[in-house]
Amino acid sequence: MNLAKFTSLYLILIGISVAFVATLPALFPNTLLFVSDFWLIFGFMAVITYLAYVLVNIGLKRNPQAGVMAIMGSIGVKMIFCMAFVLIYSIKAKGDGLLFILNFFSVYLLFTVFEMYCLLRNLRHQNLK
């Protein structure tokens, strides 16, 4: 999957996710579903996931034999940045920790599953060559 196709699918994913998150408080008006800085979390994960995919895409184009190492490296770098984000956020913001954990990991899993799906499609096409 080339970068233009990934970008278009990624923007569709972000649009659907934003619409879903925007409608949830209307469906559950008396329930606190998101931390106050939810959009900061969402934006951070969106940017870091896109950058990780771009780096893997560059790595796969340079050396297709090292594709798995490029994927593992991007996962590791993404995880380190996410742990740093959680540490900084937990130091700066005092609030409901369980709600933050649920918000953060749901967004993390959403973007990671999408990224892995797209990366595995790249590897599948590479094996057919």
Side-chain angles (χ1 to χ4, degrees), residues 29-70:
N30 297 329
T31 306
L32 182 63
L33 297 174
F34 305 108
V35 293
S36 60
D37 296 328
F38 176 78
W39 294 113
L40 175 69
I41 297 168
F42 189 86
F44 172 78
M45 288 304 302
V47 169
I48 198 77
T49 300
Y50 188 77
L51 290 176
Y53 185 84
V54 168
L55 290 175
V56 168
N57 199 14
I58 291 170
L60 285 173
K61 284 183 180 178
R62 281 193 181 166
N63 187 3
Q65 275 29 33
V68 174
M69 293 304 290

Side-chain angles (χ1 to χ4, degrees), residues 14 35 48 101 114 117-118:
I14 289 175
V35 293
I48 198 77
I101 290 171
F114 181 76
Y117 172 74
C118 292

Side-chain angles (χ1 to χ4, degrees), residues 75-90:
I75 292 171
V77 168
K78 183 177 171 183
M79 189 173 293
I80 289 170
F81 277 111
C82 288
M83 287 190 300
F85 180 84
V86 168
L87 177 67
I88 292 169
Y89 184 86
S90 63

